[in-house]
């Protein structure tokens, strides 16, 4: 069995058994191979924009040539609606991810599940899901060692449904608070979420100090904005 990262294992764990999966931005192709070896997916279409990794992916999935098809193209363009029961997009920016989904909205009618792992800013993806009729059904944060400091990744799982459902979790918090935090991560009081918000506060405090030194009017405005933002983040932690 191919060794894959904790992050990709978490992504794979949300794939229903026997699903027809499209993996957009396959890169090294490890996820399609793992899904076949683990007996999870019945069929995987690996889509890759860049021509460089294509040969590698094809070589890697060669033993599963009947189950995995490698296609080149942008996002979900090379795939038709009937082929995408489950769509996985991992390791791409939230912006590219939402652009891919936005371009394909008309084709997502037969898709039952989205499994998304943006590199940063999961709130951008949560907002897109909410605006486009997708109900978040699960969230998970995983931490992985990296050379400099541990990295946290957020995995979002959504199905067509009632998009506001998960946001009724805590009357003290607004929908936008929960879009930032993640309603499931908040409900479980995820230690990694708390850690991430604390680090975010530290980062803003650092930049607040930078603006304090310069003392010009434009900086005063910026400083006020940062102060407000820190206050908001702190208020979220106060309700932990
Ligand atoms: C960082 S890798 C992630 C690989 C793998 N999904 C993972 O999570 O480990 C991102 C891959 O997505 C591909 N990619 C970026 N934009 C894309 C798009 N619009 N359509 C298809 N593939 C794309 C890149 O070429 C790259 O190989």
């Amino acid at each position: 069995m191919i060794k894959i990262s904790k992050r990709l294992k978490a992504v794979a764990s949300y794939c229903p058994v026997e699903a027809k999966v499209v993996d957009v931005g396959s890169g090294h192709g490890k996820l399609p191979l793992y899904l076949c070896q683990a007996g999870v997916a019945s069929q995987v279409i690996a889509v890759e924009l860049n021509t460089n990794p294509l040969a590698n992916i094809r070589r890697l999935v060669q033993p599963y040539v009947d189950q995995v098809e490698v296609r080149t193209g942008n996002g979900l363009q090379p795939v038709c609606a009937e082929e995408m029961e489950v769509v996985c997009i991992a390791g791409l920016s939230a912006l590219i991810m939402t652009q891919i989904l936005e371009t394909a909205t008309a084709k997502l009618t037969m898709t039952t599940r989205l499994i998304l792992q943006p590199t940063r800013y999961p709130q951008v993806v949560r907002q897109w899901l909410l605006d486009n009729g997708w109900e978040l059904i699960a969230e998970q944060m995983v931490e992985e060692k990296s050379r400099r400091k541990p990295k946290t990744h957020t995995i979002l799982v959504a199905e067509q449904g009632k998009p506001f459902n998960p946001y009724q979790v805590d009357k003290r918090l607004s929908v936008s608070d929960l879009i930032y935090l993640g309603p499931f991560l908040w409900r479980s009081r995820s230690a990694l979420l708390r850690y991430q918000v604390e680090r975010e506060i530290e980062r803003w405090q650092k930049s607040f100090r930078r603006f304090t030194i310069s003392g010009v009017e434009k900086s005063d405005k910026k400083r006020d904005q940062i102060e407000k933002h820190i206050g908001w983040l702190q208020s979220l932690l106060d309700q932990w």
Side-chain angles (χ1 to χ4, degrees):
M1 174 87 77
I2 188 167
K3 270 203 165 167
I4 58 169
S5 62
K6 207 168 153 185
R7 170 184 66 88
L8 281 182
K9 244 187 204 161
V11 168
S13 73
Y14 292 102
C15 267
V17 176
E18 288 293 302
K20 288 183 182 168
V21 181
V22 179
D23 178 34
V24 180
S26 263
H28 37 65
K30 287 182 183 172
L31 183 62
L33 178 61
Y34 180 85
L35 289 173
C36 292
Q37 286 181 332
V40 176
S42 63
Q43 177 196 308
V44 186
I45 297 174
V47 181
E48 179 48 57
L49 179 66
N50 199 331
T51 47
N52 290 341
L54 283 173
N56 274 342
I57 307 176
R58 290 207 168 97
R59 199 172 319 120
L60 196 67
V61 300
Q62 176 59 30
Y64 293 89
V65 73
D66 294 340
Q67 266 174 281
V68 184
E69 199 186 324
V70 184
R71 296 186 192 171
T72 176
N74 189 352
L76 288 161
Q77 254 168 18
V79 191
C80 59
E82 310 78 73
E83 293 173 316
M84 39 192 181
E85 185 186 350
V86 172
V87 173
C88 287
I89 316 180
L92 270 76
S93 76
L95 190 67
I96 293 179
M97 195 171 277
T98 49
Q99 278 166 356
I100 288 174
L101 294 168
E102 188 68 35
T103 320
T105 35
K107 285 207 286 190
L108 289 170
T109 46
M110 295 169 86
T111 303
T112 55
R113 183 172 285 195
L114 301 174
I115 306 169
L116 308 167
Q117 182 265 307
T119 46
R120 288 179 73 191
Y121 309 120
Q123 62 270 37
V124 173
V125 180
R126 288 190 194 102
Q127 183 70 61
W128 187 90
L129 294 169
L130 191 64
D131 294 342
N132 288 275
W134 290 87
E135 179 179 335
L136 203 56
I137 58 151
E139 293 175 300
Q140 188 182 341
M141 280 180 92
V142 294
E143 188 179 52
E144 281 185 325
K145 282 185 194 139
S146 85
R147 237 174 291 152
R148 280 179 55 232
K149 50 184 177 181
K151 278 187 96 175
T152 52
H153 309 281
T154 306
I155 294 120
L156 307 172
V157 188
E159 291 186 349
Q160 307 212 26
K162 295 184 176 151
F164 278 94
N165 253 0
Y167 295 94
Q168 320 296 326
V169 63
D170 190 334
K171 290 277 170 276
R172 297 170 306 161
L173 297 181
S174 68
V175 172
S176 35
D177 291 340
L178 287 166
I179 285 174
Y180 172 76
L181 293 164
F184 291 92
L185 298 172
W186 174 257
R187 186 150 63 190
S188 64
R189 298 296 188 270
S190 156
L192 285 176
L193 172 66
R194 187 176 177 106
Y195 176 80
Q196 192 170 294
V197 178
E198 285 170 350
R199 296 294 80 75
E200 183 77 5
I201 291 176
E202 279 173 15
R203 269 197 298 276
W204 282 110
Q205 282 170 337
K206 248 190 207 164
S207 90
F208 180 81
R209 283 195 288 274
R210 270 208 312 274
F211 281 101
T212 309
I213 295 163
S214 62
V216 285
E217 197 190 326
K218 212 167 151 196
S219 302
D220 287 348
K221 262 195 196 152
K222 187 72 192 162
R223 212 178 48 213
D224 288 349
Q225 281 172 0
I226 296 175
E227 199 170 23
K228 248 191 207 153
H229 189 65
I230 294 173
W232 171 64
L233 291 171
Q234 194 55 59
S235 75
L236 298 177
L237 288 187
D238 291 345
Q239 299 180 70
W240 195 261

Coordinates of all heavy atoms in Angstrom, one line a residue, residues 7-8 23-28 47-50 53 73-75 90-92 96 100 117, ligand 1:
R7 N -2.7 14.1 6.0 CA -3.6 15.0 5.3 C -4.4 14.3 4.2 O -5.6 14.3 4.2 CB -2.8 16.2 4.7 CG -3.6 17.1 3.8 CD -2.7 18.2 3.2 NE -1.7 17.6 2.3 CZ -1.8 17.4 1.0 NH1 -3.0 17.7 0.4 NH2 -0.9 16.9 0.3
L8 N -3.7 13.6 3.3 CA -4.4 12.9 2.2 C -5.2 11.7 2.8 O -6.2 11.4 2.2 CB -3.4 12.4 1.2 CG -2.9 13.5 0.2 CD1 -2.0 12.9 -0.9 CD2 -4.1 14.2 -0.5
D23 N -10.5 13.4 -8.9 CA -9.5 14.0 -8.0 C -8.9 15.2 -8.9 O -8.1 14.9 -9.8 CB -8.4 13.0 -7.6 CG -7.3 13.7 -6.8 OD1 -7.6 14.6 -6.1 OD2 -6.1 13.2 -7.0
V24 N -9.2 16.4 -8.6 CA -8.8 17.5 -9.3 C -7.4 18.0 -8.8 O -7.3 18.3 -7.6 CB -9.8 18.7 -9.3 CG1 -9.3 19.9 -10.2 CG2 -11.1 18.2 -9.8
G25 N -6.4 18.2 -9.7 CA -5.1 18.6 -9.2 C -4.4 17.5 -8.5 O -3.9 17.6 -7.4
S26 N -4.3 16.4 -9.2 CA -3.8 15.1 -8.7 C -2.3 15.2 -8.3 O -1.9 14.5 -7.4 CB -4.0 14.0 -9.7 OG -5.1 13.2 -9.3
G27 N -1.6 16.1 -9.0 CA -0.2 16.3 -8.7 C 0.6 15.0 -8.9 O 0.8 14.5 -10.0
H28 N 1.0 14.4 -7.7 CA 1.8 13.2 -7.7 C 1.0 11.9 -8.0 O 1.5 10.9 -8.3 CB 2.5 13.0 -6.4 CG 1.7 13.5 -5.2 ND1 0.5 12.9 -4.9 CD2 1.8 14.6 -4.4 CE1 -0.1 13.6 -3.9 NE2 0.7 14.6 -3.6
V47 N -7.4 14.5 -12.6 CA -7.3 15.6 -13.5 C -6.1 16.4 -13.1 O -5.9 16.8 -11.9 CB -8.6 16.5 -13.5 CG1 -8.4 17.7 -14.5 CG2 -9.8 15.7 -13.8
E48 N -5.3 16.7 -14.1 CA -4.1 17.5 -13.8 C -3.9 18.6 -14.9 O -4.0 18.3 -16.1 CB -2.9 16.6 -13.7 CG -1.6 17.3 -13.4 CD -1.5 18.3 -12.3 OE1 -1.9 18.0 -11.1 OE2 -1.1 19.4 -12.6
L49 N -3.7 19.8 -14.5 CA -3.5 20.9 -15.4 C -2.1 20.9 -16.1 O -2.0 21.2 -17.3 CB -3.7 22.2 -14.7 CG -3.6 23.6 -15.4 CD1 -4.7 23.7 -16.4 CD2 -3.7 24.7 -14.4
N50 N -1.2 20.6 -15.2 CA 0.2 20.7 -15.6 C 0.6 19.4 -16.4 O 0.3 18.3 -15.9 CB 1.0 20.9 -14.3 CG 2.4 21.4 -14.6 OD1 3.0 21.2 -15.6 ND2 2.9 22.1 -13.6
P53 N 3.5 16.5 -14.4 CA 3.3 15.3 -13.5 C 2.5 14.2 -14.2 O 2.4 13.1 -13.6 CB 2.5 15.9 -12.4 CG 2.2 17.3 -12.6 CD 2.7 17.6 -14.0
G73 N -6.2 18.8 -18.1 CA -7.2 19.9 -18.3 C -7.3 20.8 -17.0 O -6.7 20.5 -16.0
N74 N -8.2 21.8 -17.2 CA -8.4 22.8 -16.1 C -9.6 22.4 -15.3 O -10.7 22.3 -15.8 CB -8.6 24.1 -16.8 CG -8.6 25.3 -15.8 OD1 -8.6 25.0 -14.6 ND2 -8.6 26.5 -16.2
G75 N -9.3 22.1 -14.0 CA -10.4 21.9 -13.1 C -11.3 20.7 -13.5 O -10.8 19.6 -13.8
A90 N -7.7 18.7 -3.4 CA -6.8 18.9 -2.2 C -5.5 19.6 -2.6 O -5.0 19.4 -3.7 CB -6.5 17.5 -1.6
G91 N -5.0 20.4 -1.7 CA -3.7 21.1 -1.9 C -3.7 22.2 -2.9 O -2.7 22.6 -3.4
L92 N -4.9 22.7 -3.2 CA -5.0 23.9 -4.1 C -5.5 25.1 -3.2 O -6.1 24.9 -2.2 CB -6.0 23.7 -5.2 CG -5.4 23.1 -6.5 CD1 -5.2 21.6 -6.3 CD2 -6.3 23.3 -7.7
I96 N -8.5 29.3 -6.2 CA -8.5 28.4 -7.4 C -9.6 27.4 -7.2 O -10.4 27.1 -8.1 CB -7.1 27.7 -7.6 CG1 -6.1 28.8 -8.0 CG2 -7.2 26.7 -8.7 CD1 -4.7 28.3 -8.2
I100 N -12.7 26.8 -9.6 CA -13.0 25.5 -10.3 C -14.4 25.1 -10.1 O -15.1 24.7 -11.0 CB -12.0 24.4 -9.8 CG1 -10.6 24.7 -10.3 CG2 -12.5 23.0 -10.2 CD1 -9.5 23.8 -9.7
Q117 N -9.8 20.4 0.4 CA -8.7 20.7 1.4 C -7.9 21.9 0.8 O -7.0 21.7 0.1 CB -7.8 19.5 1.7 CG -6.7 19.7 2.7 CD -5.4 20.1 2.0 OE1 -5.0 19.4 1.1 NE2 -4.8 21.2 2.5
Ligands
LIG1 C1 0.2 21.1 -4.6 S1 -0.4 20.0 -5.7 C2 -1.5 19.0 -4.8 C3 -1.4 17.6 -5.2 C4 -2.4 16.7 -4.4 N1 -3.8 17.0 -4.7 C5 -2.2 16.8 -2.9 O1 -3.1 17.3 -2.3 O2 -1.1 16.4 -2.4 C6 -1.5 20.9 -6.7 C7 -1.7 20.3 -8.1 O3 -2.8 20.9 -8.7 C8 -2.6 21.2 -10.1 N2 -3.5 22.2 -10.5 C9 -3.5 23.6 -10.2 N3 -4.5 24.2 -10.7 C10 -5.2 23.3 -11.4 C11 -6.4 23.3 -12.2 N4 -7.1 24.4 -12.3 N5 -6.9 22.2 -12.7 C12 -6.2 21.0 -12.5 N6 -5.1 20.9 -11.8 C13 -4.6 22.0 -11.2 C14 -1.1 21.6 -10.1 O4 -0.5 21.5 -11.3 C15 -0.5 20.7 -9.0 O5 0.0 19.5 -9.6

